[in-house]
PDB file of all heavy atoms in Angstrom:
ATOM      1  N   GLY A 325     176.912 -57.356 110.320  1.00  0.00           N
ATOM      2  CA  GLY A 325     176.017 -58.190 109.524  1.00  0.00           C
ATOM      3  C   GLY A 325     174.637 -58.274 110.141  1.00  0.00           C
ATOM      4  O   GLY A 325     173.616 -58.181 109.449  1.00  0.00           O
ATOM      5  N   LEU A 326     174.585 -58.446 111.458  1.00  0.00           N
ATOM      6  CA  LEU A 326     173.288 -58.501 112.151  1.00  0.00           C
ATOM      7  C   LEU A 326     172.582 -57.147 112.089  1.00  0.00           C
ATOM      8  O   LEU A 326     171.354 -57.085 111.974  1.00  0.00           O
ATOM      9  CB  LEU A 326     173.493 -58.935 113.604  1.00  0.00           C
ATOM     10  CG  LEU A 326     173.987 -60.366 113.798  1.00  0.00           C
ATOM     11  CD1 LEU A 326     174.251 -60.641 115.281  1.00  0.00           C
ATOM     12  CD2 LEU A 326     172.977 -61.383 113.249  1.00  0.00           C
ATOM     13  N   LEU A 327     173.360 -56.068 112.173  1.00  0.00           N
ATOM     14  CA  LEU A 327     172.772 -54.724 112.010  1.00  0.00           C
ATOM     15  C   LEU A 327     172.144 -54.591 110.630  1.00  0.00           C
ATOM     16  O   LEU A 327     171.026 -54.071 110.491  1.00  0.00           O
ATOM     17  CB  LEU A 327     173.837 -53.653 112.223  1.00  0.00           C
ATOM     18  CG  LEU A 327     173.462 -52.226 111.842  1.00  0.00           C
ATOM     19  CD1 LEU A 327     172.252 -51.740 112.644  1.00  0.00           C
ATOM     20  CD2 LEU A 327     174.655 -51.286 112.054  1.00  0.00           C
ATOM     21  N   SER A 328     172.841 -55.071 109.605  1.00  0.00           N
ATOM     22  CA  SER A 328     172.310 -55.006 108.246  1.00  0.00           C
ATOM     23  C   SER A 328     171.016 -55.795 108.125  1.00  0.00           C
ATOM     24  O   SER A 328     170.035 -55.339 107.522  1.00  0.00           O
ATOM     25  CB  SER A 328     173.355 -55.545 107.264  1.00  0.00           C
ATOM     26  OG  SER A 328     172.845 -55.605 105.957  1.00  0.00           O
ATOM     27  N   VAL A 329     170.990 -57.005 108.708  1.00  0.00           N
ATOM     28  CA  VAL A 329     169.779 -57.826 108.650  1.00  0.00           C
ATOM     29  C   VAL A 329     168.621 -57.119 109.358  1.00  0.00           C
ATOM     30  O   VAL A 329     167.503 -57.038 108.826  1.00  0.00           O
ATOM     31  CB  VAL A 329     170.030 -59.209 109.284  1.00  0.00           C
ATOM     32  CG1 VAL A 329     168.719 -59.983 109.433  1.00  0.00           C
ATOM     33  CG2 VAL A 329     171.014 -60.008 108.432  1.00  0.00           C
ATOM     34  N   ALA A 330     168.878 -56.599 110.567  1.00  0.00           N
ATOM     35  CA  ALA A 330     167.824 -55.913 111.326  1.00  0.00           C
ATOM     36  C   ALA A 330     167.312 -54.697 110.560  1.00  0.00           C
ATOM     37  O   ALA A 330     166.093 -54.450 110.492  1.00  0.00           O
ATOM     38  CB  ALA A 330     168.354 -55.492 112.696  1.00  0.00           C
ATOM     39  N   MET A 331     168.218 -53.935 109.976  1.00  0.00           N
ATOM     40  CA  MET A 331     167.841 -52.741 109.224  1.00  0.00           C
ATOM     41  C   MET A 331     166.945 -53.083 108.048  1.00  0.00           C
ATOM     42  O   MET A 331     165.912 -52.428 107.803  1.00  0.00           O
ATOM     43  CB  MET A 331     169.119 -52.049 108.742  1.00  0.00           C
ATOM     44  CG  MET A 331     168.940 -50.829 107.878  1.00  0.00           C
ATOM     45  SD  MET A 331     170.537 -50.132 107.369  1.00  0.00           S
ATOM     46  CE  MET A 331     171.048 -51.368 106.136  1.00  0.00           C
ATOM     47  N   LEU A 332     167.292 -54.135 107.299  1.00  0.00           N
ATOM     48  CA  LEU A 332     166.506 -54.502 106.126  1.00  0.00           C
ATOM     49  C   LEU A 332     165.212 -55.224 106.500  1.00  0.00           C
ATOM     50  O   LEU A 332     164.216 -55.122 105.782  1.00  0.00           O
ATOM     51  CB  LEU A 332     167.352 -55.354 105.173  1.00  0.00           C
ATOM     52  CG  LEU A 332     168.585 -54.632 104.610  1.00  0.00           C
ATOM     53  CD1 LEU A 332     169.295 -55.508 103.592  1.00  0.00           C
ATOM     54  CD2 LEU A 332     168.216 -53.287 103.986  1.00  0.00           C
ATOM     55  N   VAL A 333     165.204 -55.953 107.608  1.00  0.00           N
ATOM     56  CA  VAL A 333     163.948 -56.541 108.093  1.00  0.00           C
ATOM     57  C   VAL A 333     162.988 -55.436 108.514  1.00  0.00           C
ATOM     58  O   VAL A 333     161.781 -55.509 108.249  1.00  0.00           O
ATOM     59  CB  VAL A 333     164.221 -57.518 109.263  1.00  0.00           C
ATOM     60  CG1 VAL A 333     162.921 -57.881 109.978  1.00  0.00           C
ATOM     61  CG2 VAL A 333     164.898 -58.791 108.735  1.00  0.00           C
ATOM     62  N   MET A 334     163.503 -54.405 109.167  1.00  0.00           N
ATOM     63  CA  MET A 334     162.687 -53.226 109.491  1.00  0.00           C
ATOM     64  C   MET A 334     162.090 -52.638 108.221  1.00  0.00           C
ATOM     65  O   MET A 334     160.893 -52.319 108.169  1.00  0.00           O
ATOM     66  CB  MET A 334     163.544 -52.193 110.208  1.00  0.00           C
ATOM     67  CG  MET A 334     162.894 -50.834 110.407  1.00  0.00           C
ATOM     68  SD  MET A 334     164.053 -49.590 111.072  1.00  0.00           S
ATOM     69  CE  MET A 334     165.175 -49.376 109.680  1.00  0.00           C
ATOM     70  N   HIS A 335     162.916 -52.502 107.192  1.00  0.00           N
ATOM     71  CA  HIS A 335     162.461 -51.936 105.922  1.00  0.00           C
ATOM     72  C   HIS A 335     161.443 -52.854 105.261  1.00  0.00           C
ATOM     73  O   HIS A 335     160.437 -52.386 104.705  1.00  0.00           O
ATOM     74  CB  HIS A 335     163.672 -51.726 105.017  1.00  0.00           C
ATOM     75  CG  HIS A 335     163.468 -50.731 103.925  1.00  0.00           C
ATOM     76  ND1 HIS A 335     162.804 -49.535 104.098  1.00  0.00           N
ATOM     77  CD2 HIS A 335     163.836 -50.755 102.607  1.00  0.00           C
ATOM     78  CE1 HIS A 335     162.781 -48.861 102.953  1.00  0.00           C
ATOM     79  NE2 HIS A 335     163.391 -49.577 102.034  1.00  0.00           N
ATOM     80  N   GLY A 336     161.700 -54.165 105.308  1.00  0.00           N
ATOM     81  CA  GLY A 336     160.750 -55.121 104.749  1.00  0.00           C
ATOM     82  C   GLY A 336     159.430 -55.118 105.489  1.00  0.00           C
ATOM     83  O   GLY A 336     158.354 -55.226 104.883  1.00  0.00           O
ATOM     84  N   GLY A 337     159.483 -54.973 106.828  1.00  0.00           N
ATOM     85  CA  GLY A 337     158.246 -54.887 107.599  1.00  0.00           C
ATOM     86  C   GLY A 337     157.451 -53.645 107.239  1.00  0.00           C
ATOM     87  O   GLY A 337     156.216 -53.687 107.131  1.00  0.00           O
ATOM     88  N   ALA A 338     158.163 -52.525 107.030  1.00  0.00           N
ATOM     89  CA  ALA A 338     157.482 -51.295 106.615  1.00  0.00           C
ATOM     90  C   ALA A 338     156.839 -51.463 105.239  1.00  0.00           C
ATOM     91  O   ALA A 338     155.723 -50.982 104.993  1.00  0.00           O
ATOM     92  CB  ALA A 338     158.481 -50.137 106.603  1.00  0.00           C
ATOM     93  N   TRP A 339     157.548 -52.153 104.333  1.00  0.00           N
ATOM     94  CA  TRP A 339     157.012 -52.384 102.985  1.00  0.00           C
ATOM     95  C   TRP A 339     155.759 -53.255 103.030  1.00  0.00           C
ATOM     96  O   TRP A 339     154.755 -52.957 102.386  1.00  0.00           O
ATOM     97  CB  TRP A 339     158.088 -53.024 102.116  1.00  0.00           C
ATOM     98  CG  TRP A 339     157.636 -53.443 100.761  1.00  0.00           C
ATOM     99  CD1 TRP A 339     157.391 -54.726 100.325  1.00  0.00           C
ATOM    100  CD2 TRP A 339     157.341 -52.593  99.639  1.00  0.00           C
ATOM    101  NE1 TRP A 339     156.986 -54.723  99.023  1.00  0.00           N
ATOM    102  CE2 TRP A 339     156.958 -53.425  98.573  1.00  0.00           C
ATOM    103  CE3 TRP A 339     157.395 -51.218  99.443  1.00  0.00           C
ATOM    104  CZ2 TRP A 339     156.609 -52.923  97.321  1.00  0.00           C
ATOM    105  CZ3 TRP A 339     157.044 -50.717  98.197  1.00  0.00           C
ATOM    106  CH2 TRP A 339     156.668 -51.547  97.155  1.00  0.00           C
ATOM    107  N   LEU A 340     155.805 -54.335 103.797  1.00  0.00           N
ATOM    108  CA  LEU A 340     154.651 -55.234 103.884  1.00  0.00           C
ATOM    109  C   LEU A 340     153.474 -54.558 104.575  1.00  0.00           C
ATOM    110  O   LEU A 340     152.316 -54.816 104.218  1.00  0.00           O
ATOM    111  CB  LEU A 340     155.036 -56.516 104.623  1.00  0.00           C
ATOM    112  CG  LEU A 340     155.958 -57.471 103.855  1.00  0.00           C
ATOM    113  CD1 LEU A 340     156.382 -58.631 104.741  1.00  0.00           C
ATOM    114  CD2 LEU A 340     155.261 -57.988 102.597  1.00  0.00           C
ATOM    115  N   ALA A 341     153.748 -53.704 105.556  1.00  0.00           N
ATOM    116  CA  ALA A 341     152.664 -52.953 106.192  1.00  0.00           C
ATOM    117  C   ALA A 341     151.986 -52.021 105.191  1.00  0.00           C
ATOM    118  O   ALA A 341     150.778 -51.765 105.276  1.00  0.00           O
ATOM    119  CB  ALA A 341     153.205 -52.158 107.383  1.00  0.00           C
ATOM    120  N   LEU A 342     152.781 -51.517 104.217  1.00  0.00           N
ATOM    121  CA  LEU A 342     152.245 -50.628 103.193  1.00  0.00           C
ATOM    122  C   LEU A 342     151.478 -51.391 102.121  1.00  0.00           C
ATOM    123  O   LEU A 342     150.428 -50.922 101.638  1.00  0.00           O
ATOM    124  CB  LEU A 342     153.399 -49.845 102.556  1.00  0.00           C
ATOM    125  CG  LEU A 342     153.066 -48.937 101.366  1.00  0.00           C
ATOM    126  CD1 LEU A 342     152.215 -47.752 101.824  1.00  0.00           C
ATOM    127  CD2 LEU A 342     154.336 -48.449 100.692  1.00  0.00           C
ATOM    128  N   LYS A 343     151.973 -52.579 101.744  1.00  0.00           N
ATOM    129  CA  LYS A 343     151.465 -53.281 100.568  1.00  0.00           C
ATOM    130  C   LYS A 343     150.461 -54.381 100.874  1.00  0.00           C
ATOM    131  O   LYS A 343     149.861 -54.938  99.952  1.00  0.00           O
ATOM    132  CB  LYS A 343     152.637 -53.883  99.783  1.00  0.00           C
ATOM    133  CG  LYS A 343     153.557 -52.850  99.144  1.00  0.00           C
ATOM    134  CD  LYS A 343     152.866 -52.117  98.006  1.00  0.00           C
ATOM    135  CE  LYS A 343     152.624 -53.018  96.811  1.00  0.00           C
ATOM    136  NZ  LYS A 343     152.014 -52.293  95.677  1.00  0.00           N
ATOM    137  N   THR A 344     150.280 -54.747 102.140  1.00  0.00           N
ATOM    138  CA  THR A 344     149.348 -55.822 102.477  1.00  0.00           C
ATOM    139  C   THR A 344     148.364 -55.355 103.541  1.00  0.00           C
ATOM    140  O   THR A 344     148.472 -54.243 104.059  1.00  0.00           O
ATOM    141  CB  THR A 344     150.098 -57.069 102.986  1.00  0.00           C
ATOM    142  OG1 THR A 344     150.752 -56.764 104.238  1.00  0.00           O
ATOM    143  CG2 THR A 344     151.134 -57.543 101.982  1.00  0.00           C
ATOM    144  N   SER A 345     147.436 -56.211 103.850  1.00  0.00           N
ATOM    145  CA  SER A 345     146.453 -55.912 104.899  1.00  0.00           C
ATOM    146  C   SER A 345     146.168 -57.194 105.666  1.00  0.00           C
ATOM    147  O   SER A 345     146.643 -58.276 105.309  1.00  0.00           O
ATOM    148  CB  SER A 345     145.170 -55.350 104.284  1.00  0.00           C
ATOM    149  OG  SER A 345     144.629 -56.258 103.336  1.00  0.00           O
ATOM    150  N   GLY A 346     145.386 -57.083 106.710  1.00  0.00           N
ATOM    151  CA  GLY A 346     144.987 -58.271 107.464  1.00  0.00           C
ATOM    152  C   GLY A 346     146.118 -58.861 108.283  1.00  0.00           C
ATOM    153  O   GLY A 346     147.036 -58.161 108.721  1.00  0.00           O
ATOM    154  N   PRO A 347     146.083 -60.190 108.486  1.00  0.00           N
ATOM    155  CA  PRO A 347     147.074 -60.845 109.358  1.00  0.00           C
ATOM    156  C   PRO A 347     148.517 -60.639 108.906  1.00  0.00           C
ATOM    157  O   PRO A 347     149.409 -60.503 109.739  1.00  0.00           O
ATOM    158  CB  PRO A 347     146.673 -62.327 109.281  1.00  0.00           C
ATOM    159  CG  PRO A 347     145.234 -62.321 108.883  1.00  0.00           C
ATOM    160  CD  PRO A 347     145.065 -61.139 108.001  1.00  0.00           C
ATOM    161  N   VAL A 348     148.756 -60.649 107.597  1.00  0.00           N
ATOM    162  CA  VAL A 348     150.124 -60.479 107.107  1.00  0.00           C
ATOM    163  C   VAL A 348     150.672 -59.120 107.527  1.00  0.00           C
ATOM    164  O   VAL A 348     151.803 -59.012 108.028  1.00  0.00           O
ATOM    165  CB  VAL A 348     150.177 -60.628 105.569  1.00  0.00           C
ATOM    166  CG1 VAL A 348     151.564 -60.258 105.048  1.00  0.00           C
ATOM    167  CG2 VAL A 348     149.828 -62.053 105.164  1.00  0.00           C
ATOM    168  N   ALA A 349     149.879 -58.077 107.333  1.00  0.00           N
ATOM    169  CA  ALA A 349     150.322 -56.736 107.708  1.00  0.00           C
ATOM    170  C   ALA A 349     150.526 -56.625 109.214  1.00  0.00           C
ATOM    171  O   ALA A 349     151.485 -55.977 109.669  1.00  0.00           O
ATOM    172  CB  ALA A 349     149.310 -55.698 107.232  1.00  0.00           C
ATOM    173  N   GLU A 350     149.659 -57.250 109.988  1.00  0.00           N
ATOM    174  CA  GLU A 350     149.797 -57.186 111.446  1.00  0.00           C
ATOM    175  C   GLU A 350     151.084 -57.854 111.904  1.00  0.00           C
ATOM    176  O   GLU A 350     151.808 -57.338 112.756  1.00  0.00           O
ATOM    177  CB  GLU A 350     148.588 -57.856 112.112  1.00  0.00           C
ATOM    178  CG  GLU A 350     147.294 -57.075 111.974  1.00  0.00           C
ATOM    179  CD  GLU A 350     147.396 -55.689 112.570  1.00  0.00           C
ATOM    180  OE1 GLU A 350     147.987 -55.535 113.656  1.00  0.00           O
ATOM    181  OE2 GLU A 350     146.900 -54.727 111.946  1.00  0.00           O
ATOM    182  N   ARG A 351     151.362 -59.031 111.360  1.00  0.00           N
ATOM    183  CA  ARG A 351     152.610 -59.720 111.736  1.00  0.00           C
ATOM    184  C   ARG A 351     153.815 -58.920 111.281  1.00  0.00           C
ATOM    185  O   ARG A 351     154.820 -58.836 111.997  1.00  0.00           O
ATOM    186  CB  ARG A 351     152.629 -61.123 111.127  1.00  0.00           C
ATOM    187  CG  ARG A 351     151.514 -62.045 111.625  1.00  0.00           C
ATOM    188  CD  ARG A 351     151.673 -63.447 111.070  1.00  0.00           C
ATOM    189  NE  ARG A 351     150.450 -64.229 111.240  1.00  0.00           N
ATOM    190  CZ  ARG A 351     149.667 -64.632 110.245  1.00  0.00           C
ATOM    191  NH1 ARG A 351     150.005 -64.361 108.985  1.00  0.00           N
ATOM    192  NH2 ARG A 351     148.570 -65.327 110.489  1.00  0.00           N
ATOM    193  N   ALA A 352     153.741 -58.340 110.082  1.00  0.00           N
ATOM    194  CA  ALA A 352     154.860 -57.544 109.570  1.00  0.00           C
ATOM    195  C   ALA A 352     155.128 -56.354 110.484  1.00  0.00           C
ATOM    196  O   ALA A 352     156.295 -56.008 110.744  1.00  0.00           O
ATOM    197  CB  ALA A 352     154.558 -57.070 108.151  1.00  0.00           C
ATOM    198  N   ARG A 353     154.075 -55.719 110.963  1.00  0.00           N
ATOM    199  CA  ARG A 353     154.261 -54.593 111.891  1.00  0.00           C
ATOM    200  C   ARG A 353     154.961 -55.066 113.164  1.00  0.00           C
ATOM    201  O   ARG A 353     155.869 -54.386 113.674  1.00  0.00           O
ATOM    202  CB  ARG A 353     152.919 -53.961 112.244  1.00  0.00           C
ATOM    203  CG  ARG A 353     152.290 -53.173 111.115  1.00  0.00           C
ATOM    204  CD  ARG A 353     151.077 -52.396 111.586  1.00  0.00           C
ATOM    205  NE  ARG A 353     150.403 -51.766 110.459  1.00  0.00           N
ATOM    206  CZ  ARG A 353     149.360 -52.296 109.812  1.00  0.00           C
ATOM    207  NH1 ARG A 353     148.839 -53.459 110.225  1.00  0.00           N
ATOM    208  NH2 ARG A 353     148.831 -51.672 108.779  1.00  0.00           N
ATOM    209  N   GLY A 354     154.553 -56.204 113.682  1.00  0.00           N
ATOM    210  CA  GLY A 354     155.159 -56.722 114.911  1.00  0.00           C
ATOM    211  C   GLY A 354     156.647 -56.994 114.741  1.00  0.00           C
ATOM    212  O   GLY A 354     157.480 -56.559 115.561  1.00  0.00           O
ATOM    213  N   TYR A 355     157.011 -57.698 113.683  1.00  0.00           N
ATOM    214  CA  TYR A 355     158.425 -57.979 113.444  1.00  0.00           C
ATOM    215  C   TYR A 355     159.197 -56.718 113.083  1.00  0.00           C
ATOM    216  O   TYR A 355     160.371 -56.571 113.447  1.00  0.00           O
ATOM    217  CB  TYR A 355     158.570 -59.024 112.338  1.00  0.00           C
ATOM    218  CG  TYR A 355     158.219 -60.424 112.790  1.00  0.00           C
ATOM    219  CD1 TYR A 355     157.069 -61.063 112.331  1.00  0.00           C
ATOM    220  CD2 TYR A 355     159.040 -61.119 113.685  1.00  0.00           C
ATOM    221  CE1 TYR A 355     156.741 -62.344 112.743  1.00  0.00           C
ATOM    222  CE2 TYR A 355     158.718 -62.401 114.109  1.00  0.00           C
ATOM    223  CZ  TYR A 355     157.571 -63.012 113.635  1.00  0.00           C
ATOM    224  OH  TYR A 355     157.250 -64.286 114.050  1.00  0.00           O
ATOM    225  N   GLY A 356     158.542 -55.803 112.372  1.00  0.00           N
ATOM    226  CA  GLY A 356     159.205 -54.550 112.020  1.00  0.00           C
ATOM    227  C   GLY A 356     159.530 -53.712 113.236  1.00  0.00           C
ATOM    228  O   GLY A 356     160.606 -53.093 113.306  1.00  0.00           O
ATOM    229  N   VAL A 357     158.628 -53.680 114.212  1.00  0.00           N
ATOM    230  CA  VAL A 357     158.869 -52.942 115.455  1.00  0.00           C
ATOM    231  C   VAL A 357     160.084 -53.510 116.182  1.00  0.00           C
ATOM    232  O   VAL A 357     160.971 -52.774 116.642  1.00  0.00           O
ATOM    233  CB  VAL A 357     157.621 -53.003 116.362  1.00  0.00           C
ATOM    234  CG1 VAL A 357     157.966 -52.592 117.781  1.00  0.00           C
ATOM    235  CG2 VAL A 357     156.519 -52.106 115.813  1.00  0.00           C
ATOM    236  N   ILE A 358     160.151 -54.840 116.269  1.00  0.00           N
ATOM    237  CA  ILE A 358     161.294 -55.482 116.937  1.00  0.00           C
ATOM    238  C   ILE A 358     162.585 -55.173 116.178  1.00  0.00           C
ATOM    239  O   ILE A 358     163.616 -54.852 116.779  1.00  0.00           O
ATOM    240  CB  ILE A 358     161.068 -56.998 117.014  1.00  0.00           C
ATOM    241  CG1 ILE A 358     159.857 -57.306 117.907  1.00  0.00           C
ATOM    242  CG2 ILE A 358     162.311 -57.716 117.544  1.00  0.00           C
ATOM    243  CD1 ILE A 358     159.424 -58.754 117.890  1.00  0.00           C
ATOM    244  N   ALA A 359     162.532 -55.266 114.844  1.00  0.00           N
ATOM    245  CA  ALA A 359     163.725 -55.017 114.035  1.00  0.00           C
ATOM    246  C   ALA A 359     164.194 -53.572 114.171  1.00  0.00           C
ATOM    247  O   ALA A 359     165.406 -53.300 114.186  1.00  0.00           O
ATOM    248  CB  ALA A 359     163.441 -55.342 112.572  1.00  0.00           C
ATOM    249  N   ALA A 360     163.253 -52.633 114.272  1.00  0.00           N
ATOM    250  CA  ALA A 360     163.629 -51.219 114.435  1.00  0.00           C
ATOM    251  C   ALA A 360     164.368 -51.004 115.762  1.00  0.00           C
ATOM    252  O   ALA A 360     165.381 -50.289 115.810  1.00  0.00           O
ATOM    253  CB  ALA A 360     162.387 -50.340 114.369  1.00  0.00           C
TER     254      ALA A 360
END
């Protein structure tokens, strides 16, 4: 279950990095790196 959450958080971070800019994208990249 935790693997599934980490995998999808990684995917969500990648999506937000693609679809947003500025502080939101920066934070998404940070959490996405950890989730990966």
Side-chain angles (χ1 to χ4, degrees):
L326 293 176
L327 169 59
S328 175
V329 171
M331 177 181 73
L332 297 185
V333 167
M334 171 188 68
H335 201 42
W339 174 254
L340 289 174
L342 175 68
K343 293 291 291 183
T344 66
S345 57
V348 172
E350 289 301 319
R351 297 185 195 112
R353 289 189 186 95
Y355 285 110
V357 164
I358 296 171

